[in-house]
Amino acid sequence: MDFELAEAELLLGRTPAVLRALLSGLPERWLRGNEGPETWSPLEVLAHLIEGEKTNWMPRVRVIYEQGEAGQFAPFDRFAHLRASEGRSVDDLLDEFAALRAQSLEEVGALQLTPADLGRTGQHPEFGRVTLGQLLATWTAHDQAHLVQLSRTLARQYREAVGPWQAYLSVMR
Amino acid sequence: MDFELAEAELLLGRTPAVLRALLSGLPERWLRGNEGPETWSPLEVLAHLIEGEKTNWMPRVRVIYEQGEAGQFAPFDRFAHLRASEGRSVDDLLDEFAALRAQSLEEVGALQLTPADLGRTGQHPEFGRVTLGQLLATWTAHDQAHLVQLSRTLARQYREAVGPWQAYLSVMR
């Protein structure tokens, strides 16, 4: 599928409501349960999404938009959030994410990006040349990837409880 | 994690709102896009969940509750929905699913299941002896499994659009 900015904004804009519908009010053991060692709980995923709003997505959009290939992406610490979620409630994290995402989308809108702008290029430290459109598509897909992770993590809390039906549930493997 | 009926009811009860937040108002090409041959679009997943409410979950709960191991599960046609979703709008499907799920949960509540009831057994045509608690846990995990599928399907529409970032997005593989 080709990238359409309006569609990406629509998808990015609804993630806070999806997260709230899925997670707000869940018992703590569901919010803190993970998939095993070195995996993240729902609260840690939320904190990672917050970190992305603060230090990854819009800062990189601005680097490409303002500096092009001369600009440098700040490194994204994909584990910073593991400290950031400690002691915070799910609603607190959901509220912060919703506010940051709304602000991000306001900033995207203010750029009034044209189709030509989506072809603007920047330098990724590993991949080399990337476009603004690719960055925005990645942001959108990254949300969905973490929704995949959240529902998979919730499902796996019942790995034992489903008994023999485990054989029918590929999500458990 | 051990099975707790109240938690399962809480999770099952929020699935309609999660689906609505994720899918209502999405462009048709996102609602009808799948992951390739023999895979389901978001609309087909919705229709499958509707089919499950009608012919699978509560009917099986009743078989175990009322007939125990003497009862027989009606076969569940996991492909019946592929015809059922044709020509229907996403909001129409979301509304039907929400109404059916609310009714299912009302019926579960009316049974006033005790912890002992969760140990009641039935006969699965392939697995043999299963418990009511295992069935209810499977119903709950099955929702999450399809939320995994939906977000994965959405993410994969941008498999090309993300360009080199595909290497960082395991959801694309």
Side-chain angles (χ1 to χ4, degrees):
Chain A
M1 188 186 285
D2 56 306
F3 178 78
E4 291 277 354
L5 179 59
E7 289 180 349
E9 289 172 317
L10 184 71
L11 280 158
L12 287 166
R14 57 183 50 202
T15 303
V18 177
L19 292 167
R20 198 177 295 274
L22 187 65
L23 299 176
S24 179
L26 280 194
E28 283 294 305
R29 65 179 195 155
W30 288 85
L31 293 170
R32 298 190 183 279
N34 62 24
E35 301 175 79
E38 309 291 309
T39 63
W40 298 349
S41 71
L43 291 183
E44 288 168 342
V45 173
L46 269 185
H48 167 75
L49 291 171
I50 287 171
E51 193 69 18
E53 294 303 297
K54 288 183 182 168
T55 66
N56 186 0
W57 304 109
M58 275 310 297
R60 289 184 173 193
V61 168
R62 281 191 291 266
V63 165
I64 297 181
Y65 187 79
E66 293 165 8
Q67 304 176 55
E69 297 191 28
Q72 286 209 328
F73 290 165
F76 178 38
D77 179 350
R78 292 193 287 164
F79 302 98
H81 66 283
L82 295 177
R83 296 178 298 280
S85 68
E86 282 169 21
R88 298 186 59 189
S89 74
V90 65
D91 283 328
D92 184 24
L93 293 166
L94 288 167
D95 289 346
E96 183 177 9
F97 178 66
L100 289 169
R101 175 57 57 89
Q103 190 187 328
S104 296
L105 289 176
E106 206 174 294
E107 291 177 32
V108 171
L111 294 177
Q112 299 192 284
L113 298 172
T114 64
D117 286 331
L118 299 177
R120 290 190 188 214
T121 54
Q123 280 292 329
H124 187 283
E126 284 183 48
F127 305 144
R129 184 174 291 172
V130 291
T131 69
L132 186 52
Q134 287 166 348
L135 175 60
L136 294 167
T138 302
W139 187 3
T140 308
H142 177 267
D143 273 13
Q144 298 302 321
H146 284 293
L147 291 176
V148 166
Q149 178 184 23
L150 284 171
S151 287
R152 191 184 62 220
T153 302
L154 295 178
R156 287 181 174 175
Q157 303 309 312
Y158 273 168
R159 191 190 268 130
E160 305 304 322
V162 300
W165 268 289
Q166 203 182 113
Y168 273 4
L169 290 166
S170 61
V171 72
M172 298 299 182
R173 292 184 286 277
Chain B
M1 188 188 284
D2 56 306
F3 178 78
E4 291 278 355
L5 179 60
E7 290 180 349
E9 289 173 316
L10 183 73
L11 281 158
L12 288 166
R14 55 183 50 201
T15 304
V18 177
L19 292 168
R20 198 177 296 274
L22 188 65
L23 300 176
S24 178
L26 279 195
E28 282 295 305
R29 66 179 195 154
W30 287 86
L31 294 171
R32 298 190 183 278
N34 62 23
E35 301 175 79
E38 311 290 310
T39 64
W40 298 349
S41 71
L43 291 184
E44 288 168 341
V45 173
L46 270 185
H48 166 75
L49 292 171
I50 287 171
E51 193 68 18
E53 294 303 298
K54 287 182 182 169
T55 67
N56 187 359
W57 305 110
M58 274 310 296
R60 290 185 173 193
V61 168
R62 281 190 292 265
V63 165
I64 297 181
Y65 188 78
E66 293 165 9
Q67 305 176 55
E69 297 190 29
Q72 286 208 328
F73 290 165
F76 178 38
D77 180 350
R78 291 193 289 163
F79 302 97
H81 67 283
L82 296 178
R83 297 177 296 280
S85 69
E86 282 169 23
R88 298 185 60 188
S89 74
V90 65
D91 283 328
D92 185 23
L93 293 166
L94 288 167
D95 289 346
E96 183 177 8
F97 177 67
L100 288 168
R101 175 56 58 88
Q103 190 188 328
S104 296
L105 289 176
E106 207 174 294
E107 290 176 33
V108 171
L111 295 177
Q112 299 193 281
L113 297 171
T114 64
D117 286 331
L118 298 177
R120 289 190 189 215
T121 54
Q123 279 292 330
H124 187 282
E126 285 185 46
F127 304 144
R129 183 173 293 173
V130 290
T131 69
L132 186 52
Q134 287 167 347
L135 175 60
L136 293 167
T138 302
W139 187 3
T140 308
H142 177 268
D143 273 13
Q144 298 302 322
H146 284 293
L147 291 175
V148 166
Q149 178 184 22
L150 284 170
S151 287
R152 191 184 62 220
T153 303
L154 295 177
R156 287 180 174 175
Q157 303 308 313
Y158 273 168
R159 191 190 267 129
E160 305 305 322
V162 301
W165 268 288
Q166 206 182 107
Y168 273 4
L169 290 165
S170 60
V171 71
M172 299 301 183
R173 291 185 286 276

